[in-house]
mmCIF file of all heavy atoms in Angstrom:
data_model
loop_
_atom_site.group_PDB
_atom_site.id
_atom_site.type_symbol
_atom_site.label_atom_id
_atom_site.label_comp_id
_atom_site.label_asym_id
_atom_site.label_seq_id
_atom_site.Cartn_x
_atom_site.Cartn_y
_atom_site.Cartn_z
ATOM 1 N N ALA I 1038 76.876 112.025 84.831
ATOM 2 C CA ALA I 1038 77.145 110.653 85.165
ATOM 3 C C ALA I 1038 76.043 110.090 86.083
ATOM 4 O O ALA I 1038 75.326 110.838 86.704
ATOM 5 C CB ALA I 1038 78.508 110.504 85.863
ATOM 6 N N TRP I 1039 75.950 108.818 86.116
ATOM 7 C CA TRP I 1039 75.052 108.056 86.950
ATOM 8 C C TRP I 1039 75.877 107.426 88.129
ATOM 9 O O TRP I 1039 76.624 106.514 87.913
ATOM 10 C CB TRP I 1039 74.328 106.959 86.138
ATOM 11 C CG TRP I 1039 73.483 105.970 86.787
ATOM 12 C CD1 TRP I 1039 73.747 104.657 87.049
ATOM 13 C CD2 TRP I 1039 72.138 106.206 87.236
ATOM 14 N NE1 TRP I 1039 72.685 104.050 87.657
ATOM 15 C CE2 TRP I 1039 71.682 104.967 87.812
ATOM 16 C CE3 TRP I 1039 71.261 107.319 87.291
ATOM 17 C CZ2 TRP I 1039 70.366 104.855 88.255
ATOM 18 C CZ3 TRP I 1039 69.979 107.162 87.847
ATOM 19 C CH2 TRP I 1039 69.572 105.906 88.324
ATOM 20 N N LEU I 1040 75.769 108.008 89.329
ATOM 21 C CA LEU I 1040 76.616 107.685 90.414
ATOM 22 C C LEU I 1040 75.816 107.180 91.617
ATOM 23 O O LEU I 1040 74.740 107.690 91.933
ATOM 24 C CB LEU I 1040 77.518 108.875 90.853
ATOM 25 C CG LEU I 1040 78.428 109.482 89.741
ATOM 26 C CD1 LEU I 1040 79.255 110.623 90.322
ATOM 27 C CD2 LEU I 1040 79.279 108.419 89.079
ATOM 28 N N GLU I 1041 76.467 106.219 92.319
ATOM 29 C CA GLU I 1041 75.754 105.698 93.497
ATOM 30 C C GLU I 1041 76.241 106.343 94.745
ATOM 31 O O GLU I 1041 77.413 106.738 94.890
ATOM 32 C CB GLU I 1041 76.133 104.170 93.597
ATOM 33 C CG GLU I 1041 75.538 103.465 94.813
ATOM 34 C CD GLU I 1041 75.987 102.029 94.899
ATOM 35 O OE1 GLU I 1041 76.543 101.459 93.888
ATOM 36 O OE2 GLU I 1041 75.828 101.465 95.986
ATOM 37 N N VAL I 1042 75.371 106.578 95.669
ATOM 38 C CA VAL I 1042 75.648 107.214 96.987
ATOM 39 C C VAL I 1042 76.372 106.181 97.904
ATOM 40 O O VAL I 1042 75.796 105.088 98.118
ATOM 41 C CB VAL I 1042 74.382 107.685 97.696
ATOM 42 C CG1 VAL I 1042 74.737 108.255 99.106
ATOM 43 C CG2 VAL I 1042 73.692 108.766 96.822
ATOM 44 N N ALA I 1043 77.526 106.488 98.339
ATOM 45 C CA ALA I 1043 78.316 105.621 99.201
ATOM 46 C C ALA I 1043 78.003 105.851 100.680
ATOM 47 O O ALA I 1043 77.781 104.880 101.455
ATOM 48 C CB ALA I 1043 79.835 105.812 99.038
ATOM 49 N N TRP I 1044 77.814 107.121 101.072
ATOM 50 C CA TRP I 1044 77.533 107.436 102.475
ATOM 51 C C TRP I 1044 77.000 108.878 102.553
ATOM 52 O O TRP I 1044 77.131 109.649 101.619
ATOM 53 C CB TRP I 1044 78.677 107.224 103.414
ATOM 54 C CG TRP I 1044 79.972 107.932 103.017
ATOM 55 C CD1 TRP I 1044 80.808 107.688 101.987
ATOM 56 C CD2 TRP I 1044 80.523 109.069 103.689
ATOM 57 N NE1 TRP I 1044 81.821 108.534 101.964
ATOM 58 C CE2 TRP I 1044 81.766 109.383 103.020
ATOM 59 C CE3 TRP I 1044 80.164 109.759 104.878
ATOM 60 C CZ2 TRP I 1044 82.555 110.446 103.440
ATOM 61 C CZ3 TRP I 1044 81.003 110.850 105.274
ATOM 62 C CH2 TRP I 1044 82.181 111.146 104.555
ATOM 63 N N ILE I 1045 76.408 109.186 103.674
ATOM 64 C CA ILE I 1045 75.777 110.505 103.910
ATOM 65 C C ILE I 1045 76.194 111.036 105.250
ATOM 66 O O ILE I 1045 76.243 110.309 106.251
ATOM 67 C CB ILE I 1045 74.219 110.392 103.746
ATOM 68 C CG1 ILE I 1045 73.812 109.981 102.345
ATOM 69 C CG2 ILE I 1045 73.575 111.748 104.142
ATOM 70 C CD1 ILE I 1045 72.336 109.739 102.183
ATOM 71 N N ASN I 1046 76.449 112.329 105.360
ATOM 72 C CA ASN I 1046 76.656 112.901 106.656
ATOM 73 C C ASN I 1046 75.694 114.164 106.752
ATOM 74 O O ASN I 1046 74.849 114.323 105.908
ATOM 75 C CB ASN I 1046 78.132 113.296 106.908
ATOM 76 C CG ASN I 1046 78.631 114.446 105.964
ATOM 77 O OD1 ASN I 1046 77.876 115.082 105.293
ATOM 78 N ND2 ASN I 1046 79.926 114.688 105.991
ATOM 79 N N LYS I 1047 75.945 114.978 107.756
ATOM 80 C CA LYS I 1047 75.021 116.146 107.976
ATOM 81 C C LYS I 1047 75.131 117.244 106.953
ATOM 82 O O LYS I 1047 74.381 118.164 106.962
ATOM 83 C CB LYS I 1047 75.215 116.648 109.386
ATOM 84 C CG LYS I 1047 76.645 117.284 109.623
ATOM 85 C CD LYS I 1047 76.765 117.841 111.049
ATOM 86 C CE LYS I 1047 78.125 118.408 111.337
ATOM 87 N NZ LYS I 1047 78.241 118.920 112.695
ATOM 88 N N TYR I 1048 76.126 117.177 106.078
ATOM 89 C CA TYR I 1048 76.321 118.160 105.069
ATOM 90 C C TYR I 1048 75.839 117.711 103.695
ATOM 91 O O TYR I 1048 75.581 118.627 102.825
ATOM 92 C CB TYR I 1048 77.814 118.546 104.985
ATOM 93 C CG TYR I 1048 78.360 119.001 106.236
ATOM 94 C CD1 TYR I 1048 79.275 118.238 107.033
ATOM 95 C CD2 TYR I 1048 78.031 120.266 106.815
ATOM 96 C CE1 TYR I 1048 79.789 118.673 108.178
ATOM 97 C CE2 TYR I 1048 78.569 120.683 108.048
ATOM 98 C CZ TYR I 1048 79.432 119.880 108.723
ATOM 99 O OH TYR I 1048 79.960 120.296 109.884
ATOM 100 N N GLY I 1049 75.772 116.467 103.466
ATOM 101 C CA GLY I 1049 75.345 116.005 102.102
ATOM 102 C C GLY I 1049 75.673 114.516 101.813
ATOM 103 O O GLY I 1049 75.947 113.757 102.790
ATOM 104 N N ALA I 1050 75.695 114.202 100.542
ATOM 105 C CA ALA I 1050 75.962 112.815 100.193
ATOM 106 C C ALA I 1050 77.336 112.672 99.465
ATOM 107 O O ALA I 1050 77.825 113.645 98.899
ATOM 108 C CB ALA I 1050 74.890 112.276 99.236
ATOM 109 N N PHE I 1051 77.914 111.500 99.624
ATOM 110 C CA PHE I 1051 79.219 111.243 99.008
ATOM 111 C C PHE I 1051 79.025 110.102 97.981
ATOM 112 O O PHE I 1051 78.482 109.028 98.309
ATOM 113 C CB PHE I 1051 80.261 110.883 100.017
ATOM 114 C CG PHE I 1051 80.591 112.090 100.934
ATOM 115 C CD1 PHE I 1051 79.810 112.417 101.987
ATOM 116 C CD2 PHE I 1051 81.700 112.845 100.702
ATOM 117 C CE1 PHE I 1051 80.077 113.502 102.801
ATOM 118 C CE2 PHE I 1051 82.005 113.907 101.438
ATOM 119 C CZ PHE I 1051 81.191 114.238 102.574
ATOM 120 N N LEU I 1052 79.433 110.388 96.722
ATOM 121 C CA LEU I 1052 79.132 109.469 95.645
ATOM 122 C C LEU I 1052 80.342 108.763 95.157
ATOM 123 O O LEU I 1052 81.472 109.306 95.069
ATOM 124 C CB LEU I 1052 78.545 110.282 94.411
ATOM 125 C CG LEU I 1052 77.463 111.318 94.772
ATOM 126 C CD1 LEU I 1052 77.097 112.032 93.540
ATOM 127 C CD2 LEU I 1052 76.254 110.619 95.399
ATOM 128 N N LYS I 1053 80.215 107.486 94.853
ATOM 129 C CA LYS I 1053 81.272 106.688 94.297
ATOM 130 C C LYS I 1053 81.480 107.085 92.819
ATOM 131 O O LYS I 1053 80.586 107.050 92.002
ATOM 132 C CB LYS I 1053 80.868 105.189 94.274
ATOM 133 C CG LYS I 1053 80.584 104.633 95.648
ATOM 134 C CD LYS I 1053 80.203 103.159 95.532
ATOM 135 C CE LYS I 1053 79.859 102.562 96.905
ATOM 136 N NZ LYS I 1053 79.363 101.166 96.697
ATOM 137 N N TRP I 1054 82.713 107.506 92.535
ATOM 138 C CA TRP I 1054 82.978 107.926 91.144
ATOM 139 C C TRP I 1054 84.285 107.336 90.590
ATOM 140 O O TRP I 1054 84.845 107.805 89.645
ATOM 141 C CB TRP I 1054 82.946 109.441 91.005
ATOM 142 C CG TRP I 1054 84.051 110.199 91.687
ATOM 143 C CD1 TRP I 1054 84.578 110.028 92.946
ATOM 144 C CD2 TRP I 1054 84.747 111.341 91.118
ATOM 145 N NE1 TRP I 1054 85.518 110.968 93.128
ATOM 146 C CE2 TRP I 1054 85.640 111.816 92.079
ATOM 147 C CE3 TRP I 1054 84.638 112.060 89.925
ATOM 148 C CZ2 TRP I 1054 86.510 112.932 91.865
ATOM 149 C CZ3 TRP I 1054 85.471 113.132 89.735
ATOM 150 C CH2 TRP I 1054 86.388 113.525 90.693
ATOM 151 N N GLY I 1055 84.797 106.266 91.247
ATOM 152 C CA GLY I 1055 85.961 105.578 90.752
ATOM 153 C C GLY I 1055 87.272 105.935 91.320
ATOM 154 O O GLY I 1055 88.295 105.359 90.969
ATOM 155 N N LEU I 1056 87.281 106.928 92.236
ATOM 156 C CA LEU I 1056 88.543 107.350 92.858
ATOM 157 C C LEU I 1056 88.459 107.059 94.377
ATOM 158 O O LEU I 1056 87.394 106.808 94.935
ATOM 159 C CB LEU I 1056 88.777 108.826 92.676
ATOM 160 C CG LEU I 1056 88.857 109.285 91.242
ATOM 161 C CD1 LEU I 1056 89.171 110.804 91.176
ATOM 162 C CD2 LEU I 1056 89.900 108.542 90.425
ATOM 163 N N MET I 1057 89.642 107.081 94.995
ATOM 164 C CA MET I 1057 89.692 106.766 96.427
ATOM 165 C C MET I 1057 88.824 107.754 97.232
ATOM 166 O O MET I 1057 88.134 107.270 98.172
ATOM 167 C CB MET I 1057 91.159 106.827 96.919
ATOM 168 C CG MET I 1057 91.295 106.504 98.400
ATOM 169 S SD MET I 1057 92.992 106.325 98.852
ATOM 170 C CE MET I 1057 93.375 104.709 98.131
ATOM 171 N N LYS I 1058 88.828 109.019 96.933
ATOM 172 C CA LYS I 1058 88.005 110.013 97.628
ATOM 173 C C LYS I 1058 86.670 110.106 96.920
ATOM 174 O O LYS I 1058 86.625 110.377 95.744
ATOM 175 C CB LYS I 1058 88.730 111.331 97.616
ATOM 176 C CG LYS I 1058 87.950 112.418 98.386
ATOM 177 C CD LYS I 1058 88.638 113.765 98.272
ATOM 178 C CE LYS I 1058 87.850 114.856 98.939
ATOM 179 N NZ LYS I 1058 88.442 116.219 98.774
ATOM 180 N N ASP I 1059 85.522 109.941 97.645
ATOM 181 C CA ASP I 1059 84.255 110.002 97.061
ATOM 182 C C ASP I 1059 83.934 111.442 96.742
ATOM 183 O O ASP I 1059 84.501 112.410 97.273
ATOM 184 C CB ASP I 1059 83.197 109.441 98.079
ATOM 185 C CG ASP I 1059 83.347 107.945 98.313
ATOM 186 O OD1 ASP I 1059 83.742 107.242 97.315
ATOM 187 O OD2 ASP I 1059 83.173 107.492 99.411
ATOM 188 N N LEU I 1060 83.007 111.663 95.859
ATOM 189 C CA LEU I 1060 82.601 112.981 95.327
ATOM 190 C C LEU I 1060 81.442 113.489 96.122
ATOM 191 O O LEU I 1060 80.414 112.836 96.311
ATOM 192 C CB LEU I 1060 82.210 112.883 93.834
ATOM 193 C CG LEU I 1060 81.873 114.136 93.120
ATOM 194 C CD1 LEU I 1060 83.144 115.016 93.008
ATOM 195 C CD2 LEU I 1060 81.366 113.813 91.733
ATOM 196 N N PHE I 1061 81.571 114.714 96.648
ATOM 197 C CA PHE I 1061 80.597 115.380 97.572
ATOM 198 C C PHE I 1061 79.482 115.980 96.740
ATOM 199 O O PHE I 1061 79.652 116.660 95.750
ATOM 200 C CB PHE I 1061 81.285 116.351 98.404
ATOM 201 C CG PHE I 1061 80.372 117.080 99.365
ATOM 202 C CD1 PHE I 1061 79.566 116.366 100.257
ATOM 203 C CD2 PHE I 1061 80.325 118.453 99.432
ATOM 204 C CE1 PHE I 1061 78.754 117.015 101.178
ATOM 205 C CE2 PHE I 1061 79.497 119.106 100.382
ATOM 206 C CZ PHE I 1061 78.712 118.402 101.264
ATOM 207 N N CYS I 1062 78.220 115.730 97.168
ATOM 208 C CA CYS I 1062 77.004 116.451 96.652
ATOM 209 C C CYS I 1062 76.272 117.054 97.833
ATOM 210 O O CYS I 1062 75.596 116.303 98.571
ATOM 211 C CB CYS I 1062 76.129 115.483 95.852
ATOM 212 S SG CYS I 1062 74.649 116.291 95.150
ATOM 213 N N PRO I 1063 76.407 118.323 98.121
ATOM 214 C CA PRO I 1063 75.779 118.943 99.257
ATOM 215 C C PRO I 1063 74.218 118.932 99.125
ATOM 216 O O PRO I 1063 73.742 118.763 97.989
ATOM 217 C CB PRO I 1063 76.284 120.374 99.236
ATOM 218 C CG PRO I 1063 76.694 120.643 97.849
ATOM 219 C CD PRO I 1063 77.178 119.297 97.304
ATOM 220 N N PHE I 1064 73.548 119.069 100.290
ATOM 221 C CA PHE I 1064 72.116 118.936 100.275
ATOM 222 C C PHE I 1064 71.517 120.011 99.391
ATOM 223 O O PHE I 1064 70.518 119.813 98.746
ATOM 224 C CB PHE I 1064 71.520 119.108 101.680
ATOM 225 C CG PHE I 1064 71.835 117.874 102.553
ATOM 226 C CD1 PHE I 1064 72.395 117.957 103.765
ATOM 227 C CD2 PHE I 1064 71.358 116.609 102.058
ATOM 228 C CE1 PHE I 1064 72.607 116.839 104.578
ATOM 229 C CE2 PHE I 1064 71.577 115.456 102.880
ATOM 230 C CZ PHE I 1064 72.218 115.591 104.077
ATOM 231 N N ARG I 1065 72.146 121.199 99.335
ATOM 232 C CA ARG I 1065 71.597 122.240 98.485
ATOM 233 C C ARG I 1065 71.564 121.954 97.010
ATOM 234 O O ARG I 1065 70.864 122.589 96.194
ATOM 235 C CB ARG I 1065 72.311 123.589 98.790
ATOM 236 C CG ARG I 1065 73.769 123.671 98.211
ATOM 237 C CD ARG I 1065 74.438 124.993 98.390
ATOM 238 N NE ARG I 1065 75.692 125.046 97.796
ATOM 239 C CZ ARG I 1065 76.817 124.609 98.331
ATOM 240 N NH1 ARG I 1065 76.799 124.097 99.525
ATOM 241 N NH2 ARG I 1065 78.000 124.720 97.707
ATOM 242 N N GLU I 1066 72.443 120.985 96.590
ATOM 243 C CA GLU I 1066 72.529 120.641 95.204
ATOM 244 C C GLU I 1066 71.671 119.368 94.894
ATOM 245 O O GLU I 1066 71.857 118.800 93.796
ATOM 246 C CB GLU I 1066 73.957 120.416 94.782
ATOM 247 C CG GLU I 1066 74.770 121.698 94.845
ATOM 248 C CD GLU I 1066 74.418 122.756 93.835
ATOM 249 O OE1 GLU I 1066 73.744 122.375 92.832
ATOM 250 O OE2 GLU I 1066 74.669 123.961 94.065
ATOM 251 N N GLN I 1067 70.874 118.948 95.784
ATOM 252 C CA GLN I 1067 70.079 117.753 95.567
ATOM 253 C C GLN I 1067 68.602 118.115 95.341
ATOM 254 O O GLN I 1067 68.049 119.024 95.968
ATOM 255 C CB GLN I 1067 70.099 116.849 96.857
ATOM 256 C CG GLN I 1067 71.528 116.328 97.147
ATOM 257 C CD GLN I 1067 71.574 115.519 98.383
ATOM 258 O OE1 GLN I 1067 70.542 114.960 98.877
ATOM 259 N NE2 GLN I 1067 72.746 115.420 99.025
ATOM 260 N N LYS I 1068 68.014 117.478 94.328
ATOM 261 C CA LYS I 1068 66.616 117.744 94.031
ATOM 262 C C LYS I 1068 65.690 117.076 95.030
ATOM 263 O O LYS I 1068 64.600 117.564 95.292
ATOM 264 C CB LYS I 1068 66.322 117.213 92.602
ATOM 265 C CG LYS I 1068 67.089 117.985 91.528
ATOM 266 C CD LYS I 1068 66.995 117.324 90.160
ATOM 267 C CE LYS I 1068 65.630 117.565 89.580
ATOM 268 N NZ LYS I 1068 65.534 117.090 88.161
ATOM 269 N N GLN I 1069 66.093 115.993 95.571
ATOM 270 C CA GLN I 1069 65.453 115.296 96.681
ATOM 271 C C GLN I 1069 66.540 114.696 97.540
ATOM 272 O O GLN I 1069 67.661 114.519 97.031
ATOM 273 C CB GLN I 1069 64.534 114.226 96.151
ATOM 274 C CG GLN I 1069 65.222 113.164 95.346
ATOM 275 C CD GLN I 1069 64.325 112.180 94.645
ATOM 276 O OE1 GLN I 1069 63.227 112.525 94.292
ATOM 277 N NE2 GLN I 1069 64.700 110.915 94.563
#
Side-chain angles (χ1 to χ4, degrees):
W1039 174 253
L1040 302 182
E1041 180 184 346
V1042 177
W1044 55 289
I1045 296 173
N1046 68 9
K1047 62 181 180 180
Y1048 302 108
F1051 292 81
L1052 313 178
K1053 300 178 184 178
W1054 69 317
L1056 301 183
M1057 179 170 289
K1058 181 185 177 184
D1059 295 325
L1060 185 66
F1061 181 52
C1062 182
F1064 287 128
R1065 71 176 185 275
E1066 295 294 337
Q1067 299 176 22
K1068 297 171 73 173
Q1069 59 187 34

